[in-house]
Amino acid sequence: NAKADHFAVFVRRVATRVFTQLRSSGWENLSSNEIATLSSFTTITAELSLKGELLKVTLESPSGSISFDQVVATSVKKGARDPNPPPEAVSANGNIKFIFIL
């Protein structure tokens, strides 16, 4: 996919920030009972401005565990940003959209 190849470095920068936040967020402290309530992946979208600032985080699809969803959403809120996004990554609404599925 040419588009994925074109934005791979940018996507990797943002994903690395989000996953770094996830590692430091305490997700490993979720109880086994809480993990057992997972029935699906959680899907969270993040919208960034053309300047790379986080505008919005939305839980699109819950996992079945409110605690897990909150940990992921918090990690996205803290990590989804980039100081130098490529202008070509802008979607039709003028923002840059990321979809995190965990």
Side-chain angles (χ1 to χ4, degrees):
N1 180 324
K3 187 173 182 179
D5 289 343
H6 183 72
F7 297 119
V9 173
F10 168 56
V11 170
R12 193 174 303 120
R13 282 194 315 254
V14 174
T16 298
R17 286 184 177 97
V18 170
F19 285 102
T20 297
Q21 290 299 321
L22 188 60
R23 283 194 309 264
S24 67
S25 69
W27 69 275
E28 69 277 0
N29 294 327
L30 292 173
S31 70
S32 58
N33 288 339
E34 193 63 40
I35 298 298
T37 65
L38 292 169
S39 58
S40 183
F41 292 101
T42 187
T43 302
I44 295 181
T45 59
E47 284 195 44
L48 278 62
S49 71
L50 186 54
K51 294 180 180 182
E53 300 161 338
L54 182 66
L55 299 171
K56 182 169 130 179
V57 173
T58 305
L59 175 65
E60 301 290 342
S61 171
S63 66
S65 167
I66 293 170
S67 297
F68 181 78
D69 295 343
Q70 288 174 338
V71 166
V72 175
T74 298
S75 299
V76 171
K77 287 175 186 173
K78 290 181 177 180
R81 56 192 34 80
D82 188 80
N84 193 25
E88 304 85 18
V90 174
S91 62
N93 71 356
N95 297 325
I96 300 167
K97 184 176 183 177
F98 279 85
I99 302 171
F100 297 93
I101 303 173
L102 300 164

